[in-house]
Amino acid sequence: MKHRSILITGGAGFIGSHLVRHFVRKYPDYRIINLDKLTYAGNLANLKDIENCPNYRFVKGDICDIDAVLALMREEKIDAVIHLAAESHVDRSIKDPFTFARTNVLGTLSLLQAARTVWAELPEGFEGKLFYHISTDEVYGALQMTHPQGIEPPFSTAASSGGHLAYGDRFFTEDLGYDPHSPYSASKASSDHFVRAFHDTYGLPVIVTNCSNNYGPYQFPEKFIPLFINNIKHRKMLPVYGRGENVRDWLYVQDHVRAIDLIFHEGQIARTYNIGGFNEWKNIDVVHLLIETVDRQLGRRPGEDESLISYVTDRAGHDLRYAIDSRRLQSELGWEPELQFEEGMELTVRWYLENEAWLDNVTSGDYLKYYDEMYGNR
Ligand code: NAD
Ligand code: TYD
């Protein structure tokens, strides 16, 4: 296997930590540099098991600090970037859009500029280099719910097996125009445009992937699934936005990581791939499944905690339905998700219930104090 020196940004976050672990373990000949600012969403406890691996290095830093990125890329002779660092929570973006523009737009621009500068200095130039940008399906906007009772999906995967339904007849394909609605999705859309512009203008070798909602261990408990698991456990109310009718297309985080690995190695430069398992669920149905699963795993009567459901004011600009068409990735590169949603939820609930210390630590914010002591105030 060819040696590679890969800069993964945002590697202390949810998806990033799964990706870092996967690459460090699977590719001992690769050097993996994890650049992360350790915001509230970054947590080195996510990577405890690999922190001493010889092919791994953690660097605390901000992707907006272009001089620091340039120095790191030169020092580590980086030949590929997998860029995940971002502000990622829609509700926070509604309260504080500027932070999203700074990190997601300006941060991506500074990384692009650093990669272009450093690689242009080399005799081989951009040959063998890759800037892989991780994005979201939310850039495509919202789909209509033409079949609220659900229809047979035109395709199925392991994730959606078990006869799961589609709630509309249109899906996000790679050639759909962008139509973001939240400050989060607008900032991700903007970053995607910059990545493609760097290819079209300067010839930078780039790949962009747009993935549907991920779930699994180590997701920060402000997001829907871990928040609700934690609340059911503590018998706190479950704030369902609107009527709970919004539809999301859920993918287990390891299936996303496997897709990134495949695309990193075999994807075509300048191509976009959508990643998703054709696994649409109404929020309220996810809530029922979560209550049943948490109650059962805790030895409570399954469904006992249904009374915690509380319908609250809807999120501003709440996108109705997301549904990814991932047939390009399936047919061109042979990717398939491995896990069915119910199995993934079983594993996820078990992980959160078994990793009480992790959950209590991130909900109390103690880990932030620890980082301030270790690395100085941010
Ligand atoms: P996350 O919020 O869990 O983690 C983000 C990480 O980025 C954190 O470790 C944080 O410390 C770091 N970070 C934030 N600002 C930074 C900065 N200025 N410099 C350096 N590091 C910084 O996010 P996630 O859910 O793991 O998402 C990772 C990426 O995948 C994001 O780009 C997101 O848009 C994309 N994505 C997420 C999902 C999902 O369902 N979670 C789906 C599709 C795409
Ligand atoms: P979220 O995990 O924030 O992901 P995204 O908004 O990026 O899709 O939310 C998933 C869905 O769950 C979304 O439709 C909003 C809804 N939701 C609630 O109903 N209540 C909540 O407390 C949260 C955080 C989300």
Side-chain angles (χ1 to χ4, degrees), residues 9-17 34-43 46 61-64 83-89 102-104 107 133-138 184 188 209-215 218-220 222-223 250-251 256:
T9 69
F14 165 46
I15 302 170
S17 61
N34 172 10
L35 174 67
D36 196 299
K37 188 181 173 185
L38 298 181
T39 68
Y40 79 96
N43 185 355
N46 299 359
D62 188 334
I63 54 168
C64 299
H83 173 37
L84 294 95
E87 290 291 336
S88 68
H89 189 42
R102 181 184 180 276
T103 287
N104 298 0
H133 178 59
I134 305 294
S135 192
T136 166
D137 61 352
E138 304 193 23
Y184 165 64
K188 290 297 290 189
T209 58
N210 299 81
C211 188
S212 62
N213 285 65
N214 285 215
Y215 70 99
Y218 299 111
Q219 187 169 30
F220 193 81
E222 64 183 351
K223 301 278 168 67
W250 293 99
L251 185 71
H256 187 188

Side-chain angles (χ1 to χ4, degrees), residues 1-2 4 6 23 27-32 55 264-265:
M1 172 104 21
K2 182 173 161 255
R4 304 204 67 165
I6 305 170
F23 268 74
Y27 301 110
D29 291 341
Y30 290 180
R31 183 156 168 77
I32 305 299
N55 63 336
F264 177 82
H265 290 99

Side-chain angles (χ1 to χ4, degrees), residues 89-90 138 213 222 224 227 239-241 248 283 315 318:
H89 189 42
V90 174
E138 304 193 23
N213 285 65
E222 64 183 351
F224 182 50
L227 175 74
V240 176
Y241 297 162
R248 295 293 183 264
N283 289 343
R315 172 188 278 171
H318 196 174

Side-chain angles (χ1 to χ4, degrees), residues 234-295:
H234 293 291
R235 293 219 154 102
K236 283 166 51 181
M237 74 100 150
L238 305 175
V240 176
Y241 297 162
R243 293 166 52 232
E245 291 288 307
N246 301 64
V247 170
R248 295 293 183 264
D249 184 353
W250 293 99
L251 185 71
Y252 193 62
V253 61
Q254 285 295 347
D255 279 324
H256 187 188
V257 163
R258 287 176 38 259
I260 295 172
D261 181 349
L262 183 65
I263 294 163
F264 177 82
H265 290 99
E266 294 178 30
Q268 192 183 313
I269 297 296
R271 200 148 176 74
T272 292
Y273 300 90
N274 282 351
I275 308 174
F278 297 119
N279 180 45
E280 293 178 49
W281 283 71
K282 284 185 188 172
N283 289 343
I284 192 62
D285 293 332
V286 174
V287 176
H288 293 312
L289 178 63
L290 278 171
I291 292 172
E292 191 277 327
T293 311
V294 175
D295 281 349

Side-chain angles (χ1 to χ4, degrees), residues 135 139 178 180 184-194 196:
S135 192
V139 298
Y178 277 22
Y184 165 64
S185 53
S187 68
K188 290 297 290 189
S190 173
S191 67
D192 294 8
H193 290 317
F194 270 107
R196 293 202 184 94

Side-chain angles (χ1 to χ4, degrees), residues 42-100:
N43 185 355
L44 289 179
N46 299 359
L47 291 164
K48 210 89 221 99
D49 53 325
I50 56 124
E51 67 184 8
N52 294 320
C53 290
N55 63 336
Y56 172 68
R57 176 182 170 198
F58 171 72
V59 177
K60 182 178 187 293
D62 188 334
I63 54 168
C64 299
D65 183 350
I66 188 166
D67 292 333
V69 176
L70 280 166
L72 181 64
M73 288 192 73
R74 288 191 182 110
E75 181 197 344
E76 290 287 354
K77 299 184 172 50
I78 297 294
D79 56 24
V81 176
I82 310 181
H83 173 37
L84 294 95
E87 290 291 336
S88 68
H89 189 42
V90 174
D91 293 329
R92 283 181 191 257
S93 81
I94 294 169
K95 291 199 189 87
D96 176 19
F98 281 94
T99 305
F100 284 68

